[in-house]
């Protein structure tokens, strides 16, 4: 991969770098992936050797001013991979938002909060509004809800269930089953007698009803990775990125072999270990490719409904934790949503990731993630270039700003239609948009 020719060296920022002289923002990044590439190419950002020391431990980030330091630290922690746990532990002493990030991104807490929010909507706004939260499979937490799960299991014999560790990623520890005896050993460990409580704590799992009718392309299962940027929880302000991708399994789908992870798990970390995996072809489609394919097959109206239903998932899931997340004006979060579509074109929420992978699996993937990171920093606007009233910044569209965000469209009768300001899978005209957005400031300079 020839990264020296990356998009981070081209286009808008190359021109602005020569024209604009701004206050320097200093940084130090211990990572060597797309994050470092983007930071090094950012006009007005200078890499330094200094570090910040907190309680005897060094943080590899430094900048000018309290607000900027916190913003960069938050961003670094959200995207760290190997050093994520260490960075998170350090930043908990600085940044209150990070204490509660797991309320949405741990599988058990996500489902717990969505169930609570659905009951709240039913109580306050009625069953129709509560039904808008029916986008996650029937789920139980084990071992604490083991007996509730057994009751549900017996009511629906013969169906497939999937077990997931609540705090692992990349498909680790996941397995499918159809018989209770397949988890009996785990269940015994989860119900130890009181005199054995000093033994190692049993890892928590969620058990979910497996979606047995996924939408297939080329007889293969896939899920979607979608990026949502939250710049405030109180009030809620969320941005949806136009780019994303579909992750395909490398093996044709079948329910006859529930032990084959290459059939049922679409994680790239799993698929790239398949014996017949081709790294040149990979196992991803860009979101634009997927939307075009689905529209050609099912029509514009059906696919617009599908993507509006996904918008609903993003907003309702964020609202479910809005009152619980500790808000701080210096914080932001970039989430990676994992969505599965079934054959009826219904989207299901599988997981929300607090640290979506930014390691590139191809040149195309590298360029997508560079654009994503560039625009994340554009929205955060540490340089102070934006007015705060923008509905689009690069590839990000403002989806929610203490309420839904709309665009106005004049219909044939002269009336005005309100259209949601989201364009997932549509053309990403980010460079042209950024040029017009920043041009007045450049001219003024």
């Amino acid at each position: 991969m020839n990264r020296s020719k990356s998009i981070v060296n081209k286009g808008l920022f190359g021109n602005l770098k020569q024209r604009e002289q701004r206050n320097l923002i200093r940084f130090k990044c211990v990572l060597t992936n797309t994050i470092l590439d983007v930071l090094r190419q950012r006009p007005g950002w200078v890499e330094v050797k200094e570090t910040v020391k907190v309680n005897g431990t060094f943080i590899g980030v430094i900048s000018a001013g309290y607000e900027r330091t916190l913003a960069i630290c938050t961003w670094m922690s959200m995207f760290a991979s190997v050093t994520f746990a260490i960075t998170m532990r350090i930043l908990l002493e600085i940044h209150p938002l990070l204490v509660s990030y797991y309320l949405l991104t741990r599988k058990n807490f996500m489902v717990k909060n969505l169930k609570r929010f659905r009951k709240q909507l039913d109580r306050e706004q009625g069953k129709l509004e509560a039904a808008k939260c029916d986008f996650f499979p029937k789920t139980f937490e084990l071992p604490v809800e083991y007996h509730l799960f057994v009751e549900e299991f017996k009511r629906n014999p013969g169906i497939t269930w999937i077990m997931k560790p609540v705090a692992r990623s990349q498909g680790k520890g996941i397995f499918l089953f159809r018989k209770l005896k397949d988890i009996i050993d785990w269940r015994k460990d989860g119900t130890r007698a009181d005199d054995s409580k000093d033994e190692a704590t049993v890892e928590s799992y969620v058990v979910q009803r497996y979606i047995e009718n996924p939408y297939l392309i080329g007889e293969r299962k896939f899920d979607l990775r979608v990026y949502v940027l939250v710049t405030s929880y109180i009030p809620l302000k969320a941005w949806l990125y136009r780019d994303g991708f579909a992750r395909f399994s490398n093996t044709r789908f079948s329910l006859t072999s529930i032990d084959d992870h290459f059939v049922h798990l679409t994680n790239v970390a799993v698929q790239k270990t398949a014996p017949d995996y081709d790294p040149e072809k990979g196992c991803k489609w860009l979101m634009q490719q997927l939307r075009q394919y689905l529209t050609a097959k099912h029509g514009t109206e059906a696919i617009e409904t599908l993507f509006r239903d996904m918008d609903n998932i993003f907003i309702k899931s964020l609202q479910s934790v809005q009152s619980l997340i500790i808000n701080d004006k210096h914080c932001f979060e970039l989430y990676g949503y994992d969505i599965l579509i079934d054959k009826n074109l219904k989207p299901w929420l599988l997981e929300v990731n607090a640290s979506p992978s930014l390691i590139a699996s191809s040149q195309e993937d590298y360029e997508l993630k560079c654009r994503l990171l560039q625009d994340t920093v554009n929205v955060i606007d540490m340089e102070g270039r934006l007015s705060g009233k923008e509905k689009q910044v690069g590839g990000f569209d403002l989806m929610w700003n203490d309420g839904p965000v709309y665009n106005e469209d004049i219909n044939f009768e002269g009336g005005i239609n309100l259209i949601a300001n989201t364009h997932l899978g549509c053309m990403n005209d980010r460079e042209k948009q950024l040029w017009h957005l920043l041009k007045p400031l450049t001219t003024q300079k």
Side-chain angles (χ1 to χ4, degrees):
M1 186 183 301
N2 186 2
R3 296 193 172 181
S4 64
K5 296 181 180 180
S6 163
I7 57 169
V8 297
N9 294 318
K10 300 177 182 179
L12 171 72
F13 292 123
N15 295 326
L16 289 182
K17 188 172 183 179
Q18 298 175 1
R19 298 182 184 185
E20 299 182 15
Q21 296 297 325
R22 304 186 181 283
N23 294 330
L24 295 181
I25 296 177
R26 297 170 294 175
F27 75 93
K28 181 175 178 62
C29 181
V30 297
L31 306 175
T32 58
N33 57 14
T34 49
I35 301 173
L36 182 59
D37 292 344
V38 169
L39 291 182
R40 281 177 170 172
Q41 296 295 331
R42 186 89 181 166
W45 289 50
V46 178
E47 188 174 8
V48 296
K49 296 181 180 181
E50 297 92 338
T51 55
V52 176
K53 193 172 184 179
V54 178
N55 290 346
T57 306
F58 286 99
I59 301 177
V61 180
I62 186 170
S63 67
Y66 171 76
E67 293 188 13
R68 290 180 176 177
T69 301
L70 289 184
I72 300 178
C73 284
T74 304
W75 182 51
M76 287 288 296
S77 68
M78 288 301 95
F79 297 132
S81 53
V82 178
T83 60
F84 175 79
I86 299 175
T87 309
M88 180 63 69
R89 179 178 59 81
I90 298 168
L91 292 177
L92 287 178
E93 302 172 19
I94 302 177
H95 221 296
L97 174 70
L98 302 183
V99 177
S100 51
Y101 81 100
Y102 59 83
L103 294 173
L104 180 62
T105 58
R106 272 182 59 131
K107 300 176 185 70
N108 55 336
F109 290 122
M110 180 192 79
V111 171
K112 178 180 179 180
N113 286 312
L114 283 171
K115 287 180 178 179
R116 174 191 52 76
F117 186 61
R118 184 169 57 188
K119 291 180 180 178
Q120 177 185 335
L121 290 176
D122 189 7
R123 184 172 60 252
E124 297 177 356
Q125 301 183 38
K127 294 187 180 301
L128 288 178
E129 191 65 24
K132 294 180 181 179
C133 281
D134 292 335
F135 49 72
F136 58 98
K138 179 78 73 173
T139 306
F140 300 89
E141 182 180 356
L142 302 185
V144 296
E145 295 181 326
Y146 180 82
H147 296 294
L148 292 175
F149 164 66
V150 170
E151 292 178 7
E152 180 68 22
F153 182 91
K154 291 179 178 179
R155 281 194 293 266
N156 297 276
I159 68 171
T160 307
W161 296 84
I162 184 169
M163 286 273 284
K164 304 176 182 179
V166 300
R168 292 202 234 174
S169 60
Q170 299 182 332
K172 297 175 182 176
I174 296 178
F175 62 93
L176 279 65
F177 68 96
R178 294 195 182 107
K179 299 178 181 178
L180 282 178
K181 69 180 183 62
D182 293 334
I183 61 168
I184 195 66
D185 292 336
W186 182 92
R187 181 257 181 181
K188 288 180 178 178
D189 290 339
T191 55
R192 289 190 178 100
D194 290 343
D195 58 358
S196 61
K197 284 184 178 179
D198 57 336
E199 298 181 21
T201 303
V202 176
E203 184 177 10
S204 294
Y205 277 67
V206 292
V207 55
Q208 293 181 325
R209 184 165 180 168
Y210 185 64
I211 298 173
E212 298 181 324
N213 63 334
Y215 192 100
L216 304 178
I217 296 179
E219 300 184 53
R220 287 166 172 80
K221 178 182 175 181
F222 66 93
D223 70 359
L224 309 181
R225 168 57 58 86
V226 183
Y227 298 101
V228 175
L229 174 65
V230 179
T231 53
S232 171
Y233 268 102
I234 303 175
L236 182 60
K237 189 171 185 178
W239 303 74
L240 178 64
Y241 204 61
R242 295 187 178 193
D243 290 343
F245 49 85
R247 304 177 297 188
F248 284 82
S249 65
N250 200 51
T251 307
R252 293 180 179 179
F253 182 79
S254 172
L255 286 173
T256 59
S257 178
I258 63 173
D259 296 327
D260 191 342
H261 283 186
F262 300 131
V263 172
H264 301 285
L265 304 185
T266 60
N267 310 69
V268 176
V270 173
Q271 292 299 323
K272 69 182 182 181
T273 63
D276 56 345
Y277 176 76
D278 186 347
E280 294 296 325
K281 294 181 180 179
C283 52
K284 292 181 179 180
W285 272 15
L286 292 179
M287 193 68 69
Q288 286 83 353
Q289 292 175 270
L290 178 69
R291 183 160 188 159
Q292 290 172 3
Y293 174 89
L294 294 175
T295 301
K297 191 166 185 179
H298 300 282
T300 301
E301 184 176 351
I303 302 310
E304 285 184 349
T305 299
L306 167 63
F307 278 75
R308 292 290 82 78
D309 290 343
M310 283 194 276
D311 290 348
N312 173 71
I313 291 178
F314 307 139
I315 296 303
K316 288 293 189 290
S317 60
L318 294 173
Q319 288 177 328
S320 73
V321 297
Q322 183 180 6
S323 62
L324 304 176
I325 295 288
I326 301 174
N327 192 68
D328 189 296
K329 66 179 181 179
H330 308 109
C331 307
F332 66 94
E333 301 275 3
L334 180 65
Y335 295 112
Y337 275 75
D338 292 344
I339 305 289
L340 178 73
I341 302 171
D342 69 21
K343 69 178 183 180
N344 299 315
L345 295 181
K346 175 181 173 62
W348 296 88
L349 175 61
L350 301 181
E351 186 177 358
V352 183
N353 297 274
S355 53
S357 172
L358 295 171
I359 299 174
S361 57
S362 66
Q363 182 66 28
E364 187 176 59
D365 195 40
Y366 175 77
E367 294 179 356
L368 183 155
K369 289 173 178 176
C370 282
R371 294 192 298 267
L372 170 70
L373 290 171
Q374 289 173 355
D375 289 341
T376 298
V377 182
N378 290 334
V379 173
I380 301 308
D381 190 30
M382 293 175 67
E383 299 91 341
R385 295 176 295 186
L386 305 181
S387 68
K389 299 179 181 179
E390 292 80 7
K391 288 186 177 181
Q392 180 185 356
V393 177
F396 276 110
D397 295 299
L398 185 59
M399 173 172 52
W400 192 270
N401 189 12
D402 202 23
V405 180
Y406 295 108
N407 289 321
E408 295 182 354
D409 178 56
I410 300 177
N411 59 35
F412 292 109
E413 300 177 354
I416 296 178
N417 298 325
L418 295 178
I419 302 175
N421 185 48
T422 53
H423 306 278
L424 179 62
C426 297
M427 182 183 71
N428 190 353
D429 59 347
R430 60 178 297 276
E431 188 162 327
K432 179 180 178 181
Q433 192 274 338
L434 285 172
W435 175 256
H436 287 291
L437 182 65
L438 302 178
K439 189 175 182 180
L441 181 60
T442 306
T443 304
Q444 182 180 357
K445 287 287 183 180

